[in-house]
Amino acid sequence: MPRIAKAREGAEPTSDVQRERQVRILTAAARLGAEHELARVQMAEVAKDAGVAIGTLYRYFPSKTHLFVALLLSQLERARERLPDPPSGVAPPQAICDALVVMTRAIVARPRLASAMLVSNSTASASVVPDSVEVERVFQGIVLAQGGIEHPTDRDRDAVRLLSMVWFGLILVLLNGRVSIEETETDIRRACDLLLVHMADTAPGPV
């Protein structure tokens, strides 16, 4: 289990130079996380690969957990930008499910990195690693957008919250080698059918 630092938010970049530095850190972490198990990824090596001082790395990311949760958040934000708009006439459960299958294939393409990010996120305390809360918010936003749901009800929000727990859990089971990608995708579709059944009769019309 990765070590979690004391409760402290990482510094936010305030200039283009600082943002570019943060991107280099995340890029280095992604490369090293794809090559090594999480326990073998050393913060000093991330700093060296990113071309920054170790103190700079810890200023932005107080622990390895902060770093890999931030990396998961950046990957979800990228997925949000790249996913196409749901096709017209497709019911929300189907549109959401299709998007989750695409996202699953993308994230498990680098299994060591996926495991590092998801394990870090699953062990992160919201009070210590605020990005873990943002991960949940972004994921739920992706799901609602893919379902074409602009004004979610409490039932919608509950269903999407539960679906997020199921999705992250299913990917971890896949990464642990207990099921195949085909079985995982089948389970994702079953989860969508069960949790989003109340959305089934609400297909968005043409734009």
Short mmCIF file of all heavy atoms in Angstrom, two decimals, residues 24-52:
data_model
loop_
_atom_site.label_atom_id
_atom_site.label_comp_id
_atom_site.label_asym_id
_atom_site.label_seq_id
_atom_site.Cartn_x
_atom_site.Cartn_y
_atom_site.Cartn_z
N ARG A 24 5.13 17.63 -16.91
CA ARG A 24 6.32 16.77 -17.02
C ARG A 24 6.36 15.75 -15.89
O ARG A 24 6.73 14.59 -16.10
CB ARG A 24 7.60 17.62 -16.99
CG ARG A 24 7.81 18.48 -18.21
CD ARG A 24 9.29 18.76 -18.48
NE ARG A 24 10.06 19.09 -17.30
CZ ARG A 24 10.25 20.33 -16.82
NH1 ARG A 24 9.68 21.36 -17.41
NH2 ARG A 24 11.01 20.53 -15.76
N ILE A 25 5.97 16.16 -14.70
CA ILE A 25 5.95 15.24 -13.56
C ILE A 25 4.94 14.12 -13.80
O ILE A 25 5.23 12.94 -13.59
CB ILE A 25 5.63 16.00 -12.26
CG1 ILE A 25 6.77 16.93 -11.89
CG2 ILE A 25 5.34 15.01 -11.12
CD1 ILE A 25 6.46 17.88 -10.74
N LEU A 26 3.74 14.49 -14.24
CA LEU A 26 2.70 13.48 -14.49
C LEU A 26 3.11 12.55 -15.62
O LEU A 26 2.85 11.34 -15.56
CB LEU A 26 1.37 14.16 -14.81
CG LEU A 26 0.71 14.90 -13.64
CD1 LEU A 26 -0.51 15.67 -14.12
CD2 LEU A 26 0.31 13.92 -12.53
N THR A 27 3.76 13.09 -16.64
CA THR A 27 4.22 12.27 -17.76
C THR A 27 5.27 11.27 -17.30
O THR A 27 5.25 10.09 -17.68
CB THR A 27 4.78 13.16 -18.88
OG1 THR A 27 3.76 14.06 -19.34
CG2 THR A 27 5.28 12.32 -20.05
N ALA A 28 6.19 11.74 -16.46
CA ALA A 28 7.23 10.85 -15.92
C ALA A 28 6.61 9.77 -15.06
O ALA A 28 6.99 8.59 -15.14
CB ALA A 28 8.24 11.66 -15.12
N ALA A 29 5.64 10.15 -14.21
CA ALA A 29 4.98 9.16 -13.36
C ALA A 29 4.25 8.12 -14.19
O ALA A 29 4.25 6.93 -13.86
CB ALA A 29 4.00 9.87 -12.42
N ALA A 30 3.61 8.56 -15.28
CA ALA A 30 2.89 7.62 -16.15
C ALA A 30 3.86 6.64 -16.79
O ALA A 30 3.58 5.43 -16.87
CB ALA A 30 2.12 8.38 -17.21
N ARG A 31 5.00 7.13 -17.24
CA ARG A 31 5.97 6.24 -17.89
C ARG A 31 6.52 5.23 -16.89
O ARG A 31 6.57 4.03 -17.17
CB ARG A 31 7.12 7.07 -18.48
CG ARG A 31 8.11 6.21 -19.28
CD ARG A 31 9.28 7.02 -19.78
NE ARG A 31 10.17 7.41 -18.69
CZ ARG A 31 11.06 6.59 -18.11
NH1 ARG A 31 11.13 5.31 -18.49
NH2 ARG A 31 11.84 7.03 -17.15
N LEU A 32 6.92 5.71 -15.72
CA LEU A 32 7.49 4.81 -14.72
C LEU A 32 6.43 3.86 -14.16
O LEU A 32 6.71 2.69 -13.89
CB LEU A 32 8.13 5.62 -13.60
CG LEU A 32 9.39 6.41 -14.03
CD1 LEU A 32 9.80 7.39 -12.93
CD2 LEU A 32 10.53 5.46 -14.36
N GLY A 33 5.20 4.37 -13.99
CA GLY A 33 4.13 3.53 -13.49
C GLY A 33 3.74 2.44 -14.47
O GLY A 33 3.27 1.37 -14.07
N ALA A 34 3.94 2.68 -15.76
CA ALA A 34 3.65 1.67 -16.77
C ALA A 34 4.73 0.60 -16.82
O ALA A 34 4.48 -0.53 -17.26
CB ALA A 34 3.50 2.32 -18.14
N GLU A 35 5.93 0.95 -16.35
CA GLU A 35 7.06 0.02 -16.42
C GLU A 35 7.23 -0.81 -15.15
O GLU A 35 7.73 -1.94 -15.21
CB GLU A 35 8.36 0.79 -16.68
CG GLU A 35 8.41 1.46 -18.04
CD GLU A 35 9.67 2.28 -18.22
OE1 GLU A 35 10.45 2.41 -17.23
OE2 GLU A 35 9.88 2.81 -19.32
N HIS A 36 6.85 -0.25 -13.99
CA HIS A 36 7.14 -0.89 -12.71
C HIS A 36 5.89 -1.02 -11.86
O HIS A 36 4.93 -0.25 -12.01
CB HIS A 36 8.18 -0.09 -11.93
CG HIS A 36 9.42 0.23 -12.71
ND1 HIS A 36 10.31 -0.73 -13.11
CD2 HIS A 36 9.90 1.42 -13.17
CE1 HIS A 36 11.31 -0.17 -13.77
NE2 HIS A 36 11.08 1.14 -13.83
N GLU A 37 5.91 -1.97 -10.94
CA GLU A 37 4.85 -2.05 -9.93
C GLU A 37 4.89 -0.79 -9.09
O GLU A 37 5.93 -0.15 -8.93
CB GLU A 37 5.06 -3.28 -9.05
CG GLU A 37 5.05 -4.61 -9.79
CD GLU A 37 3.70 -4.93 -10.39
OE1 GLU A 37 2.67 -4.41 -9.89
OE2 GLU A 37 3.65 -5.70 -11.37
N LEU A 38 3.75 -0.43 -8.51
CA LEU A 38 3.65 0.81 -7.75
C LEU A 38 4.71 0.90 -6.65
O LEU A 38 5.32 1.96 -6.45
CB LEU A 38 2.25 0.93 -7.13
CG LEU A 38 1.98 2.18 -6.28
CD1 LEU A 38 2.16 3.45 -7.08
CD2 LEU A 38 0.57 2.10 -5.69
N ALA A 39 4.94 -0.19 -5.94
CA ALA A 39 5.90 -0.18 -4.83
C ALA A 39 7.32 0.13 -5.30
O ALA A 39 8.14 0.62 -4.52
CB ALA A 39 5.87 -1.52 -4.10
N ARG A 40 7.60 -0.14 -6.57
CA ARG A 40 8.95 0.07 -7.09
C ARG A 40 9.14 1.44 -7.73
O ARG A 40 10.26 1.80 -8.11
CB ARG A 40 9.29 -1.02 -8.11
CG ARG A 40 9.40 -2.41 -7.52
CD ARG A 40 9.77 -3.42 -8.59
NE ARG A 40 11.01 -3.04 -9.27
CZ ARG A 40 11.36 -3.45 -10.48
NH1 ARG A 40 10.55 -4.26 -11.17
NH2 ARG A 40 12.50 -3.08 -11.03
N VAL A 41 8.08 2.20 -7.86
CA VAL A 41 8.19 3.55 -8.40
C VAL A 41 8.66 4.47 -7.28
O VAL A 41 8.01 4.61 -6.25
CB VAL A 41 6.85 4.06 -8.96
CG1 VAL A 41 6.98 5.50 -9.44
CG2 VAL A 41 6.38 3.16 -10.10
N GLN A 42 9.82 5.09 -7.46
CA GLN A 42 10.41 5.95 -6.45
C GLN A 42 10.20 7.42 -6.83
O GLN A 42 10.41 7.81 -7.98
CB GLN A 42 11.91 5.66 -6.30
CG GLN A 42 12.22 4.22 -5.92
CD GLN A 42 11.59 3.83 -4.59
OE1 GLN A 42 11.65 4.58 -3.61
NE2 GLN A 42 10.99 2.64 -4.54
N MET A 43 9.81 8.22 -5.83
CA MET A 43 9.58 9.64 -6.10
C MET A 43 10.84 10.32 -6.62
O MET A 43 10.78 11.19 -7.49
CB MET A 43 9.07 10.33 -4.83
CG MET A 43 7.70 9.87 -4.37
SD MET A 43 6.36 10.38 -5.49
CE MET A 43 5.94 11.98 -4.77
N ALA A 44 12.01 9.92 -6.12
CA ALA A 44 13.26 10.51 -6.59
C ALA A 44 13.47 10.24 -8.08
O ALA A 44 13.95 11.11 -8.82
CB ALA A 44 14.43 9.97 -5.77
N GLU A 45 13.08 9.05 -8.52
CA GLU A 45 13.23 8.71 -9.93
C GLU A 45 12.23 9.49 -10.78
O GLU A 45 12.55 9.91 -11.90
CB GLU A 45 13.04 7.21 -10.13
CG GLU A 45 13.39 6.74 -11.53
CD GLU A 45 13.33 5.24 -11.69
OE1 GLU A 45 13.05 4.54 -10.70
OE2 GLU A 45 13.57 4.76 -12.82
N VAL A 46 11.02 9.70 -10.27
CA VAL A 46 10.04 10.52 -10.99
C VAL A 46 10.58 11.93 -11.16
O VAL A 46 10.51 12.51 -12.25
CB VAL A 46 8.69 10.55 -10.23
CG1 VAL A 46 7.73 11.53 -10.91
CG2 VAL A 46 8.07 9.16 -10.18
N ALA A 47 11.13 12.49 -10.08
CA ALA A 47 11.67 13.85 -10.16
C ALA A 47 12.81 13.92 -11.17
O ALA A 47 12.87 14.86 -11.98
CB ALA A 47 12.16 14.29 -8.77
N LYS A 48 13.70 12.94 -11.13
CA LYS A 48 14.83 12.92 -12.07
C LYS A 48 14.34 12.83 -13.51
O LYS A 48 14.82 13.54 -14.40
CB LYS A 48 15.75 11.75 -11.74
CG LYS A 48 16.96 11.64 -12.67
CD LYS A 48 17.82 10.45 -12.28
CE LYS A 48 19.02 10.31 -13.22
NZ LYS A 48 19.87 9.14 -12.85
N ASP A 49 13.37 11.93 -13.76
CA ASP A 49 12.85 11.74 -15.11
C ASP A 49 12.15 12.99 -15.62
O ASP A 49 12.18 13.30 -16.81
CB ASP A 49 11.89 10.55 -15.12
CG ASP A 49 11.56 10.09 -16.53
OD1 ASP A 49 12.33 9.35 -17.13
OD2 ASP A 49 10.49 10.50 -17.03
N ALA A 50 11.50 13.72 -14.68
CA ALA A 50 10.77 14.93 -15.06
C ALA A 50 11.68 16.15 -15.15
O ALA A 50 11.25 17.22 -15.63
CB ALA A 50 9.65 15.20 -14.06
N GLY A 51 12.90 16.02 -14.67
CA GLY A 51 13.83 17.14 -14.70
C GLY A 51 13.52 18.22 -13.69
O GLY A 51 13.72 19.41 -13.96
N VAL A 52 13.01 17.80 -12.51
CA VAL A 52 12.70 18.76 -11.46
C VAL A 52 13.38 18.32 -10.16
O VAL A 52 13.74 17.16 -10.00
CB VAL A 52 11.17 18.88 -11.22
CG1 VAL A 52 10.46 19.30 -12.50
CG2 VAL A 52 10.60 17.58 -10.67
#
